[in-house]
Amino acid sequence: MATTVRRTVLTLPAGPLGPENPLPALRPLDETHVVDERDRAALPRDMARQIGFQPLSTVLPARILDGYGRERTPTALDAIVIENDRLRATVLPGLGGRVHSLHHKPTGRELLYRNPVLQPADFALNGAWFSGGIEWNIGATGHTALSCAPLHAARVPAPDGGEMVRLWEWERLRDLPFQVDLWLPEDSDFLHVGVRIRNPHEHTAPVYWWSNIAVPEGERTRVLAPADEAWHFGYERTLTRVPVPVSGSVDRTYPLRGEFPADYFYEVPDGARRWIASLDEDGHGLVQTSTDLLRGRKLFLWGSGAGGRRWQEWLTEPGTVGYAEIQAGLARTQLEHVPLEPGAEFSWLESYGPLSADPLTVHGEDWAAARAETEQRLAEVLPRADVEAAHEAWRPFADTEPGESLATGSGWGALEVRRGKYELPGTPFADSTLGEQQQPWLELLDQGAFPEPRRAVPPGPSMVSPHWRDMLETAPAEPLTEYHLGVAQWHAGDRAQAVRSWERGLVLAPSRWPLLRCLAVAAEEGRQRDRAADLYGEAFDDLCAERRDEDEAWTAAAAALGREALEALLTAGRPAAARSVWAALPPAIRQRGRFRLLEARLLIAEDDRAAARAVFDEGFEVEDLREGAQILDEVWAGITDEPLPDRYNFRMRPER
């Protein structure tokens, strides 16, 4: 059959994504993949330089997604199917363009870990993320802020005369447009993926890209890559070079043989073919390969320990197969960002498909032989030269204007194109995509003034790039303008000026709580705990005087500000004031897992450990528990010396 592209609907049990958190993300990034500066001296010079190259300090202008839940209901998801007589790929354009499934028809095998549920969890840079399939991570170290966001999608002509699917968006953390072209040639066992990232600005941009592939794990599943060494990151914030495959007397190429979650970034020699494969006990599985620009390869494993198993269960459902991740990126490790010069672009081609190799060799003790066998089998089914040729064939089509629209992304790209007058062949950002969140910024762009709201509502998203900051500085100094200007100044590192802007806005602001909250964060970051507690208390009281509990946006604001106020008041040693905030929260918010945990902390502060223990005994789930967080251990230790119950054990590193 000729390759076809069609739209369909995929129904999965899904947790609700919930509304955006309306509070601007002023706090430092809490990404776990960080290496202490003093440890960089031992790293290769180019790696150390790229680790220190413009790391993010916040996720502004993106908003945090933390309003999701764990009560899953059947949910219809728009999907795009790309299919020939060999392979069927199912893509979710509304969820970051995730490839949900890659099904090999002749063998009937699913090549990816296909999650049977869609369960948001706190793994993305801005919160909500879900496991499974192939995801396109762009922006900065971590899972992309677009993990649960819609991308634009359309049909485009393919180099072989058929059709491709183009996905594209404007990545806001780095202010860069990108595209992903999914091309499945007729009669091919391999899905080709052409990727392009462009820098339309007059400054050098830091670029991050890792294609993340979830594959089924098993006792006899082995991950192979062309390397004899790897950089190990084990959530203790250290990066160390280790041998491959055996490290610490354990063969780390088998995901279930390690105890704790860990990253292994393979040291692929210059000139070697770029590939990584996951093969089961019979030698069958998936291989990913690419042109040379995509140099990095990585294995992430959850391990066999209690914490890793709990996370696996948390991200899917009990009784389902677990998964590991094989990945491919622009740098050797995910802690690095690569410079992209003004007006330049990065482009490469990846290929995904089935691979079968001799299981005795693949699982033998001779690592060199196992690697050579895998690479030889790859060369037989997809020669390196064919991947290079596919990239060359695809490259002229990257500028082709899309045809029929298959999905619509955000309006932020259209706003940036309107402001910067950028010419971006192949990735149109049409004015028709501009929506409610972009409208006040359009007014600032066209009329030089930011509109004040007609009624009390939580503020919309802020823009923080230098261009928008300059416009806010020259606009009339109305309260909402000062609020957004302060956020942009904070993002730029000018914290003193941000505080002055917020303080100016307070003088005439009809709605004071957004400004008070920003000032509270500034006080907290300045280690002024008492002042932060005072400001949080005042901000929460002001919000309570305005809020309408039947409105989703106000409920999200009450939950977000109430949580921050409770944490600040507890940190300042003010349990009585914290109890007042707790009492003012809507009952439905107090029943959320995050707030049950806060209740236990409050009870400990009130010296009622028996009641705090009862909260744990009754049971709760912190829906937005952060990857690598130790908060459950810490609160439990404040109650009792007993071991942490298994249901609360999400440890990602050994106890110290």
Side-chain angles (χ1 to χ4, degrees):
M1 63 178 287
T3 300
T4 61
V5 173
R6 58 184 170 87
R7 282 184 286 190
T8 188
V9 173
L10 179 68
T11 299
L12 289 177
L17 190 58
E20 294 178 329
N21 183 326
L23 307 183
L26 302 175
R27 299 183 187 282
L29 202 63
D30 62 352
E31 169 59 34
T32 59
H33 291 79
V34 176
V35 173
D36 292 334
E37 189 169 350
R38 64 180 180 273
D39 293 331
R40 293 182 197 167
L43 302 176
R45 186 172 301 176
D46 62 331
M47 182 186 292
R49 183 172 59 250
Q50 291 187 161
I51 288 175
F53 179 51
Q54 297 188 32
L56 282 187
S57 57
T58 75
V59 296
L60 288 168
R63 282 184 147 185
I64 301 297
L65 294 174
D66 58 4
Y68 46 84
R70 293 187 58 80
E71 293 184 7
R72 296 191 285 263
T73 58
T75 302
L77 305 170
D78 290 334
I80 301 170
V81 175
I82 310 159
E83 185 172 16
N84 64 11
D85 61 350
R86 311 286 297 174
L87 212 57
R88 180 171 61 247
T90 303
V91 183
L92 303 177
L95 293 164
R98 183 79 60 98
V99 179
H100 173 72
S101 169
L102 193 60
H103 179 78
H104 188 234
K105 294 180 177 181
T107 60
R109 294 203 311 267
E110 173 60 47
L111 302 180
L112 305 174
Y113 168 73
R114 183 177 58 193
N115 198 334
V117 304
L118 197 163
Q119 178 54 62
D122 193 4
F123 278 69
L125 286 164
N126 63 332
W129 170 87
F130 62 102
S131 64
I134 308 172
E135 60 179 301
W136 318 112
N137 286 314
I138 182 173
T141 300
H143 294 281
T144 177
L146 295 168
S147 292
C148 292
L151 303 190
H152 302 284
R155 300 176 189 264
V156 290
D160 61 352
E163 285 187 321
M164 297 188 294
V165 171
R166 175 163 300 157
L167 306 166
W168 74 98
E169 238 317 343
W170 193 280
E171 201 288 313
R172 301 180 68 211
L173 301 187
R174 298 305 194 180
D175 233 7
L176 300 174
F178 73 98
Q179 70 190 77
V180 177
D181 287 359
L182 305 171
W183 170 29
L184 180 57
E186 186 175 353
D187 299 326
S188 175
D189 279 309
F190 282 84
L191 175 70
H192 294 322
V193 180
V195 182
R196 178 167 64 166
I197 303 170
R198 288 184 274 194
N199 179 9
H201 306 297
E202 297 178 353
H203 60 267
T204 300
V207 173
Y208 173 94
W209 182 280
W210 281 81
S211 301
N212 185 356
I213 310 132
V215 290
E217 66 179 7
E219 291 292 341
R220 292 277 293 164
T221 295
R222 193 176 204 186
V223 171
L224 301 104
D228 292 315
E229 292 183 310
W231 293 93
H232 168 257
F233 184 88
Y235 293 86
E236 292 98 354
R237 299 200 168 190
T238 58
L239 197 61
T240 55
R241 194 192 295 258
V242 297
V244 176
V246 176
S247 172
S249 74
V250 176
D251 188 332
R252 308 290 178 174
T253 61
Y254 290 89
L256 284 173
R257 293 189 184 177
E259 183 178 0
F260 290 95
D263 297 325
Y264 292 92
F265 300 102
Y266 294 112
E267 188 68 64
V268 179
D270 291 341
R273 184 177 186 180
R274 273 64 164 141
W275 61 269
I276 190 167
S278 174
L279 304 180
D280 65 16
E281 62 183 353
D282 297 318
H284 303 310
L286 174 134
V287 66
Q288 186 270 3
T289 187
S290 72
T291 49
D292 287 354
L293 183 67
L294 203 66
R295 65 173 296 184
R297 292 299 185 273
K298 170 193 165 182
L299 163 64
F300 167 76
L301 55 89
W302 283 109
S304 59
R309 294 299 94 195
R310 184 71 179 98
W311 272 117
Q312 292 264 28
E313 182 183 78
W314 183 258
L315 295 170
T316 178
E317 59 186 11
T320 56
V321 65
Y323 74 96
E325 293 170 358
I326 57 174
Q327 304 188 23
L330 281 173
R332 280 186 287 183
T333 74
Q334 289 178 328
L335 289 78
E336 302 168 68
H337 300 92
V338 182
L340 180 59
E341 299 301 316
E345 65 179 48
F346 288 140
S347 81
W348 65 89
L349 186 125
E350 307 177 42
S351 299
Y352 297 82
L355 191 71
S356 293
D358 174 41
L360 294 178
T361 307
V362 164
H363 295 288
E365 295 184 3
D366 187 336
W367 172 244
R371 279 175 37 199
E373 163 68 10
T374 307
E375 188 157 355
Q376 176 59 36
R377 298 293 185 175
L378 172 60
E380 292 169 1
V381 296
L382 185 65
R384 186 177 188 177
D386 287 5
V387 177
E388 298 287 347
H391 181 232
E392 291 301 315
W394 163 76
R395 189 62 190 81
F397 287 79
D399 284 346
T400 303
E401 290 305 301
E404 178 194 358
S405 174
L406 300 172
T408 303
S410 78
W412 296 114
L415 181 66
E416 291 298 339
V417 167
R418 181 104 161 240
R419 183 202 58 75
K421 298 180 173 56
Y422 301 123
E423 296 290 335
L424 298 169
T427 54
F429 293 96
D431 282 353
S432 59
T433 62
L434 293 164
E436 181 180 354
Q437 290 188 333
Q438 291 84 42
Q439 285 306 317
W441 298 97
L442 273 177
E443 190 166 329
L444 174 65
L445 180 64
D446 294 340
Q447 302 180 25
F450 198 91
E452 289 291 304
R454 297 178 181 176
R455 59 187 179 89
V457 293
S462 296
M463 300 292 283
V464 297
S465 67
H467 314 283
W468 294 106
R469 188 172 73 246
D470 290 346
M471 281 186 269
L472 288 166
E473 286 176 345
T474 58
E478 299 294 337
L480 189 56
T481 305
E482 296 285 11
Y483 164 82
H484 287 297
L485 175 58
V487 174
Q489 290 165 334
W490 182 272
H491 176 264
D494 193 351
R495 297 192 168 185
Q497 190 58 54
V499 168
R500 285 192 285 272
S501 295
W502 292 326
E503 288 175 340
R504 282 196 306 268
L506 269 179
V507 176
L508 296 175
S511 184
R512 293 168 52 83
W513 66 266
L515 292 152
L516 288 166
R517 182 266 175 177
C518 289
L519 290 168
V521 174
E524 237 175 7
E525 291 300 305
R527 300 183 180 180
Q528 299 172 290
R529 291 183 175 181
D530 288 331
R531 174 166 168 73
D534 290 340
L535 288 165
Y536 266 122
E538 188 178 351
F540 188 74
D541 288 345
D542 188 71
L543 181 145
C544 288
E546 292 185 2
R547 80 184 193 214
R548 296 184 297 277
D549 287 347
E550 70 281 358
D551 184 280
E552 184 182 69
W554 280 107
T555 300
L561 185 55
R563 171 182 171 178
E564 291 187 7
L566 280 165
E567 290 174 340
L569 290 164
L570 288 171
T571 299
R574 300 187 190 181
R579 177 61 68 182
S580 295
V581 170
W582 174 264
L585 288 168
I589 292 177
R590 293 201 298 263
Q591 290 304 309
R592 297 180 185 176
R594 172 63 64 177
F595 287 86
R596 298 301 309 282
L597 181 61
L598 279 168
E599 181 184 15
R601 291 178 59 190
L602 176 55
L603 289 165
I604 293 170
E606 293 171 335
D607 201 26
D608 192 349
R609 284 171 173 73
R613 171 65 182 261
V615 172
F616 274 81
D617 289 345
E618 184 178 340
F620 61 89
E621 293 182 323
V622 181
E623 295 89 347
D624 61 334
L625 187 67
R626 185 66 174 167
E627 175 190 13
Q630 300 288 300
I631 186 65
L632 289 167
D633 301 70
E634 293 164 4
V635 176
W636 178 258
I639 297 171
T640 176
D641 293 333
E642 296 176 20
L644 183 71
D646 289 344
R647 68 176 298 177
Y648 302 116
N649 182 0
F650 292 87
R651 294 185 184 119
M652 297 186 74
R653 58 179 180 263
E655 292 185 74
R656 295 178 179 176

